[in-house]
Amino acid sequence: MINQMNRLILLFSLLLFFSTVSQAALEIDVSEGNLRPMPIAITTVIDKQNEQLGLGLDITKVIASDLAGSGLFYPINPKAFLEEVNSVDRNPNFNSWRVVNAEALFTAELISDNERFRINYKLWDTFSEKSLEANYLVFSKNKWRNVAHMIADTIYTRLTGEKGYFDTQIAFIAESGPKTNRMKRLAIMDQDGQNPILLTSGKDLVLTPRFSPNGKELVYLSYRNGQPQVYIYDIQSKQTYVVGTFPGMTFAPRFSPDGTKIIMSLQEGVGSNLFEMNLSNFDRKRLTNTSDINTAPSYSPDSRNIVFESDKSGTQQLYVMDAGGDNVRRISFGTGSYSTPVWSPRGDYIAFTKISKGRFMIGVMFADGSGERIITDGFHNEGPTWAPNGRVLMFFRESPGEDGGAMIYSVDITGYNERKIETPGYASDPSWSALMN
Amino acid sequence: MIALNKDGTISNVEPVTRDTNGQREVAINAAVRAVLSCAPYEFPIEKYELWREIKFTFDPRNMLGG
């Protein structure tokens, strides 16, 4: 995506003007550029055996939609293609792809055998005329979306150097009904908003679902028995169970990066403290012991530190401590208050909600508190969650007014490419899973 | 490092840094694509000896404002 040739050529002209002829190679530093989506040709997945099923075309559309949705790729309109791809085995005529400005070319074909499908696919660099990826996946028909997302993840990785995030799910709270009596239900969907599934009936108020690292469970807050408590929901068995018996309200839960523990808040008097619960033996460990409101804990990906919010300085601010509860240090110092910190899966950034002058913002800062950057700002933005590659965030945005409600958005950590995720109704509290396969 | 023909087309591209590891390989591929996509280059033919070989150094640090 580095393309700065206009500037480069100007530089060339100057050099040629001032230089005398020499045998040594010219040396040119290219230190600036512009960001633009990379044009990529995604040819329709060939499906000679079952073309009428349309599976090849469906997979192609999902791959193109994932890549376009990342904001880093520009899938070229297939009507512009000059070459028809009939086989993945033959080398393409690279010039005909360069002419339509494609910098990369994706080709694939489907082969079916009874109920099993095999997709052979290739990714080409059309300028250096080399193959960047040649691979295959075997799958049953009901997994076709996952396969499309997995291939899009591979393309993303081969062309950006970052891990992908398309084969993932989002847990969220599906909201319906009037604002004064809104029904809130636990739900999951694919990262692109497809396949939404409601998991709870709506009888009990539920909040803040968080995925387990293996994507099989959710930990969340439910008012099931009157008193708000932290529960775990097993997605496959549809079973729920309460996380320990505590004397007061438990809330703001999250899994540890290895999935063996839950960290959460317990109400104690007018304040709350942080506890860690071991899921194998239900041992609990107190991590803070003050009369402040200590809440919203999130582990660093190496499990060595915990970021949380506390009002111990008078307003809600972000603090980091060792995983055992020692060495508490404040990291947020801007104007306003900070809440809902989430440590990036890469370990570099912490995302947060910031409230200042009546506005709700989503921002990121480095784990030591430096480099604070606001990504979005408005009437009400809240609750960031990280894509597994730590380069994209989702959050929810509430619209004002009686008919207003929450919607989920995704945004690049640079602040570019904000997109609304299509959900069946209002939706809040997103939690992004790890890669599913 | 690129070598140019007299008509400004590229006769050879040779990455000085070689790496088959993740992000560095992707960056090298992107740099090579950028150089190739700009061909043919238009330079004064009488100074061909000056531009027949060019070494580019790509440093994207300034692209996102540091």
Side-chain angles (χ1 to χ4, degrees):
Chain A
M1 316 216 177
I2 301 164
N3 197 348
Q4 42 274 309
M5 289 300 146
N6 288 339
R7 173 177 276 277
L8 220 160
I9 286 167
L10 179 72
L11 197 62
F12 260 126
S13 319
L14 291 171
L15 277 169
L16 289 170
F17 184 75
F18 288 112
S19 303
T20 52
V21 175
S22 134
Q23 293 302 315
L26 263 183
E27 296 200 11
I28 309 283
D29 287 337
V30 183
S31 61
E32 286 183 29
N34 46 55
L35 283 176
R36 63 174 173 87
M38 176 197 253
I40 180 171
I42 299 167
T43 61
T44 303
V45 176
I46 305 158
D47 187 3
K48 287 178 184 156
Q49 289 164 285
N50 294 296
E51 203 178 350
Q52 73 286 357
L53 273 181
L55 193 58
L57 188 59
D58 288 342
I59 291 173
T60 312
K61 283 180 182 167
V62 170
I63 294 171
S65 164
D66 279 347
L67 294 174
S70 75
L72 300 179
F73 298 93
Y74 168 66
I76 296 164
N77 186 339
K79 286 181 183 153
F81 296 170
L82 302 176
E83 186 185 350
E84 192 177 346
V85 177
N86 293 313
S87 160
V88 286
D89 297 325
R90 217 171 304 139
N91 276 15
N93 174 358
F94 291 107
N95 193 46
S96 73
W97 295 103
R98 286 194 298 263
V99 166
V100 297
N101 294 322
E103 294 183 13
L105 167 68
F106 171 78
T107 62
E109 70 184 342
L110 266 181
I111 298 160
S112 61
D113 177 15
N114 293 324
E115 294 299 295
R116 303 294 285 172
F117 289 84
R118 176 184 163 121
I119 183 166
N120 299 320
Y121 65 94
K122 285 185 179 167
L123 180 66
W124 300 92
D125 184 322
T126 58
F127 281 95
S128 60
E129 305 194 351
K130 66 180 184 184
S131 163
L132 297 173
E133 182 78 22
N135 216 330
Y136 70 92
L137 288 166
V138 176
F139 61 102
S140 51
K141 194 176 171 220
N142 64 339
K143 290 284 182 194
W144 72 270
R145 276 191 176 275
N146 292 91
V147 163
H149 291 313
M150 287 161 75
I151 292 172
D153 280 329
T154 303
I155 296 171
Y156 181 97
T157 302
R158 296 299 294 148
L159 295 173
T160 68
E162 304 275 359
K163 278 187 189 156
Y165 59 88
F166 303 122
D167 186 28
T168 54
Q169 289 189 312
I170 308 297
F172 65 104
I173 299 296
E175 303 189 10
S176 55
K179 207 167 194 175
T180 48
N181 185 25
R182 194 150 283 170
M183 186 186 280
K184 297 197 173 194
R185 305 168 75 178
L186 204 56
I188 51 172
M189 62 183 172
D190 293 351
Q191 146 279 137
D192 54 2
Q194 297 293 316
N195 294 329
I197 302 167
L198 295 165
L199 304 176
T200 59
S201 67
K203 189 164 65 71
D204 309 308
L205 176 66
V206 290
L207 293 166
T208 62
R210 310 290 182 219
F211 260 112
S212 64
N214 64 10
K216 291 180 175 165
E217 294 170 314
L218 300 172
V219 64
Y220 65 106
L221 174 70
S222 172
Y223 283 67
R224 199 178 194 177
N225 295 317
Q227 173 161 273
Q229 296 266 271
V230 170
Y231 289 80
I232 286 178
Y233 184 96
D234 183 301
I235 294 170
Q236 201 167 17
S237 72
K238 302 186 170 68
Q239 298 295 308
T240 48
Y241 59 94
V242 69
V243 182
T245 327
F246 287 88
M249 165 181 175
T250 51
F251 57 103
R254 247 179 231 287
F255 280 93
S256 61
D258 65 1
T260 62
K261 289 177 277 194
I262 301 284
I263 193 170
M264 58 190 171
S265 308
L266 168 67
Q267 186 182 11
E268 292 186 315
V270 292
S272 62
N273 278 300
L274 303 180
F275 283 79
E276 186 181 75
M277 165 76 85
N278 187 320
L279 290 174
S280 58
N281 57 15
F282 292 100
D283 275 355
R284 73 185 65 161
K285 183 173 161 193
R286 174 185 285 274
L287 299 175
T288 63
N289 193 3
T290 72
S291 57
D292 314 302
I293 298 172
N294 303 300
T295 186
S298 168
Y299 287 93
S300 62
D302 63 6
S303 296
R304 288 187 184 166
N305 292 284
I306 293 164
V307 62
F308 64 102
E309 64 177 78
S310 175
D311 65 351
K312 64 177 73 193
S313 70
T315 58
Q316 282 171 301
Q317 298 292 335
L318 305 186
Y319 293 79
V320 170
M321 64 183 178
D322 299 348
D326 297 327
N327 197 17
V328 178
R329 60 264 189 203
R330 179 171 164 180
I331 61 162
S332 64
F333 292 95
T335 51
S337 63
Y338 295 76
S339 57
T340 72
V342 201
W343 216 304
S344 156
R346 292 165 74 116
D348 49 0
Y349 288 108
I350 288 167
F352 54 83
T353 304
K354 179 175 180 175
I355 307 164
S356 180
K357 294 172 187 154
R359 296 175 73 80
F360 282 64
M361 310 161 206
I362 302 293
V364 294
M365 60 173 68
F366 288 116
D368 64 1
S370 65
E372 178 178 326
R373 196 148 42 82
I374 297 301
I375 287 174
T376 187
D377 175 4
F379 166 71
H380 191 141
N381 299 289
E382 197 179 338
T385 181
W386 290 98
N389 72 354
R391 285 294 169 262
V392 183
L393 288 163
M394 278 192 197
F395 61 93
F396 69 98
R397 173 175 293 162
E398 195 107 29
S399 51
E402 237 168 70
D403 299 327
M407 298 298 248
I408 296 174
Y409 289 77
S410 71
V411 66
D412 200 272
I413 56 164
T414 55
Y416 291 108
N417 195 38
E418 185 179 289
R419 281 166 194 257
K420 191 170 113 186
I421 308 297
E422 293 303 329
T423 48
Y426 287 137
S428 60
D429 271 351
S431 168
W432 211 318
S433 78
L435 287 170
M436 303 305 279
N437 291 288
Chain B
M1 179 82 85
I2 68 168
L4 292 170
N5 299 313
K6 284 188 173 174
D7 62 0
T9 57
I10 293 173
S11 62
N12 188 36
V13 181
E14 195 67 34
V16 180
T17 311
R18 290 207 164 273
D19 207 318
T20 52
N21 178 14
Q23 282 197 319
R24 285 173 66 84
E25 185 191 10
V26 168
I28 292 164
N29 287 343
V32 169
R33 240 184 345 260
V35 170
L36 289 173
S37 66
C38 292
Y41 293 85
E42 290 179 23
F43 297 122
I45 186 70
E46 64 276 13
K47 293 196 175 178
Y48 178 60
E49 284 307 310
L50 181 61
W51 51 264
R52 67 185 300 168
E53 280 195 326
I54 304 168
K55 183 180 174 186
F56 291 100
T57 304
F58 285 87
D59 181 352
R61 267 177 296 190
N62 291 333
M63 284 181 64
L64 287 173

